[in-house]
Amino acid sequence: MNTKPITVTSPLLPNLNEFHEMLKEIWDSKWITNNGSFHRQLEAELAKYLKVPYVSLFTNGTLPLITALQALRITGEVITTPYSFVATTHSLWWNGIKPVFVDIDPSTGNIDPDKIEAAITPKTTAIMPVHVYGKPCDTERIQAIADKYGLKVIYDAAHAFGVEVNGDSILNAGDMSTLSFHATKVYNTVEGGALIMHDEKTKKRIDYLKNFGFAGETEVVAPGINSKMDEIRAAYGLLNLKQVDASIEARHQVAIHYREALRSVEGITFMDDMSGVKHNYSYFPIFVDAEKYGMTRDELYFKMKEQNVLGRRYFYPLISEFSTYRGLPSSNPENLPNAHKMADSVICLPMHHELCNEEIDRILNCIIK
Ligand code: T4K
């Protein structure tokens, strides 16, 4: 096969000359990590861009999940979704917390608020939903349940950079939200992430926790971890912030193109934009109904692969199917029918800012018979 591979995503890269200028500044200053000036500037610029009060930068999108659970002193059981990247549940495991999986709403892929209350026990202390593919969870209903039972809510918003509902950032929901700035995300700092919080006191505590718990030169206030972002990635992040809007708009155009072409294909469905929501087009999942389409999801996935169109089956298998979690009572497939159905039918099509029409046509030609 000599066609060029079309990968599921491609990273947004800063202008190399501008990056070089910033690297020179870092070299001159010799301050390369530990809350440097680019780190402080990126926290401030992200808070403004994302319309949130406080941002704490992290070295990836997994450590803010682990740290948020620590900061809120979450123990016992946490209600979460099996339809996510495995890091969501791993963060609970790393804190000695038992995950309790609840099924998803098939229209969004997000945890189904109707099913949360039945999963609450005296040991439940929090809910950890995921805005999967950047589609906002029903945050109002989740908050109402949390308030009724005195639970904390930590959103894994790894996919939800820049997503807004009726003009308000989705990141303002719950007690805290986390972001991933991994290379594969809409906005990346190579590796990176952030924790979003609502008040200065929490921001201070999180900043201690990501620096071993140090509050000053000689005082350690908690068993923190090292999850600080360095100056080089903060500089890269500042440059990428300038072009992320254009990148999201380019993704939007790809989504329009896909939707126009796929709407009439029997057995293939996809998610439309939600009313009042500013989307980020981070992923473009399609769902294959084998009977109607005449081919299973895996048959289509491997057919695409043969033609070097490298979609991905995010999120298959479900987290509840991995060996660490399979034995949990809530992992029983009978408890998670919608999640299983979605995981067994999904293919995320290539989606990034540089996809050209010729590539989009190559992708669509694999699907449209
Ligand atoms: N919560 C949720 C809901 C998440 O989705 C994630 C991460 C996290 C938490 C944790 O955040 P981080 O700790 O990762 O910041 C990827 C990413 O590694 C992972 O960040 C992401 N979710 C997950 C959904 O996808 P892989 O193993 O599928 O990526 P990989 O290496 O196969 O790359 C996919 C494609 O992207 C490649 O085929 C080509 C392209 N690519 C990738 C990289 C790394 C590039 O073009 N350049 C690159 O440098 O996991």
Side-chain angles (χ1 to χ4, degrees):
M1 183 176 17
N2 49 22
T3 49
K4 197 171 151 247
I6 307 179
T7 50
V8 72
T9 188
S10 179
L12 181 64
L13 293 166
N15 176 287
L16 203 49
N17 291 332
E18 286 184 84
F19 190 43
H20 186 255
E21 285 301 307
M22 291 179 92
L23 288 179
K24 196 170 172 311
E25 267 187 65
I26 296 170
W27 259 238
D28 289 345
S29 76
K30 295 191 169 53
W31 192 276
I32 59 177
T33 187
N34 285 12
N35 200 25
S37 67
F38 286 143
H39 181 285
R40 293 195 302 275
Q41 193 184 335
L42 183 58
E43 284 192 344
E45 289 196 15
L46 278 172
K48 199 166 154 220
Y49 177 89
L50 295 169
K51 302 186 187 168
V52 297
Y54 298 96
V55 173
S56 184
L57 287 171
F58 275 72
T59 197
N60 58 47
T62 304
L63 284 160
L65 287 165
I66 293 174
T67 306
L69 291 160
Q70 286 262 318
L72 294 169
R73 297 187 175 85
I74 304 298
T75 56
E77 295 177 1
V78 169
I79 290 173
T80 189
T81 168
Y83 195 79
S84 180
F85 188 61
V86 72
T88 311
T89 310
H90 280 352
S91 72
L92 301 172
W93 208 256
W94 275 80
N95 277 291
I97 295 163
K98 182 177 169 187
V100 176
F101 296 115
V102 160
D103 205 8
I104 57 166
D105 173 346
S107 66
T108 60
N110 293 329
I111 195 164
D112 184 346
D114 280 339
K115 305 208 171 112
I116 292 177
E117 283 196 79
I120 295 174
T121 76
K123 290 186 183 155
T124 310
T125 54
I127 309 170
M128 184 179 272
V130 178
H131 304 293
V132 80
Y133 307 132
K135 296 269 177 218
C137 289
D138 188 340
T139 55
E140 275 180 26
R141 292 201 48 213
I142 291 171
Q143 195 58 52
I145 298 166
D147 291 344
K148 183 170 164 192
Y149 293 91
L151 307 176
K152 301 284 185 199
V153 185
I154 300 165
Y155 283 99
D156 180 340
H159 303 171
F161 184 90
V163 172
E164 295 177 13
V165 179
N166 299 325
D168 186 20
S169 170
I170 194 69
L171 304 170
N172 286 322
D175 292 277
M176 290 191 211
S177 293
T178 66
L179 287 166
S180 165
F181 302 153
H182 183 258
T184 55
K185 297 291 187 285
V186 166
Y187 169 80
N188 84 86
T189 59
V190 185
E191 293 271 356
L195 195 46
I196 310 301
M197 63 289 290
H198 312 313
D199 63 275
E200 200 177 347
K201 197 169 154 222
T202 308
K203 155 83 172 144
K204 211 168 182 180
R205 181 162 175 82
I206 295 296
D207 286 350
Y208 295 157
L209 285 177
K210 74 177 183 191
N211 185 28
F212 313 96
F214 272 106
E217 208 176 304
T218 53
E219 195 189 353
V220 170
V221 293
I225 200 159
N226 180 4
S227 45
K228 293 165 272 118
M229 182 182 281
D230 60 73
E231 284 294 273
I232 296 172
R233 285 187 286 156
Y236 178 109
L238 282 165
L239 292 175
N240 261 356
L241 198 53
K242 293 199 287 186
Q243 43 175 10
V244 71
D245 280 337
S247 161
I248 290 173
E249 183 44 35
R251 287 166 172 269
H252 183 191
Q253 294 308 317
V254 176
I256 290 172
H257 198 140
Y258 278 151
R259 285 174 182 153
E260 272 172 11
L262 294 175
R263 202 169 292 282
S264 55
V265 179
E266 174 84 0
I268 299 289
T269 51
F270 50 82
M271 292 167 171
D272 275 306
D273 285 356
M274 293 160 77
S275 132
V277 174
K278 183 177 163 203
H279 291 281
N280 67 7
Y281 307 97
S282 50
Y283 295 85
F284 195 89
I286 61 164
F287 306 97
V288 183
D289 179 327
E291 224 165 87
K292 287 189 190 151
Y293 184 63
M295 201 185 256
T296 65
R297 182 276 306 274
D298 282 350
E299 282 167 347
L300 176 59
Y301 171 75
F302 287 111
K303 179 185 162 195
M304 288 166 66
K305 208 167 184 177
E306 266 169 30
Q307 295 178 40
N308 239 341
V309 173
L310 307 176
R312 291 292 290 268
R313 289 166 292 179
Y314 298 132
F315 289 98
Y316 165 85
L318 292 177
I319 303 175
S320 51
E321 291 293 295
F322 291 120
S323 57
T324 316
Y325 305 113
R326 204 183 291 145
L328 292 168
S330 63
S331 294
N332 184 341
E334 282 173 20
N335 183 44
L336 308 167
N338 294 333
H340 275 276
K341 194 171 172 209
M342 194 170 268
D344 290 343
S345 61
V346 68
I347 302 176
C348 284
L349 299 186
M351 171 50 91
H352 59 81
H353 61 293
E354 281 176 332
L355 273 183
C356 63
N357 285 344
E358 193 196 325
E359 288 171 313
I360 297 172
D361 288 341
R362 243 180 81 197
I363 296 160
L364 290 169
N365 283 338
C366 297
I367 304 167
I368 303 169
K369 291 164 285 179

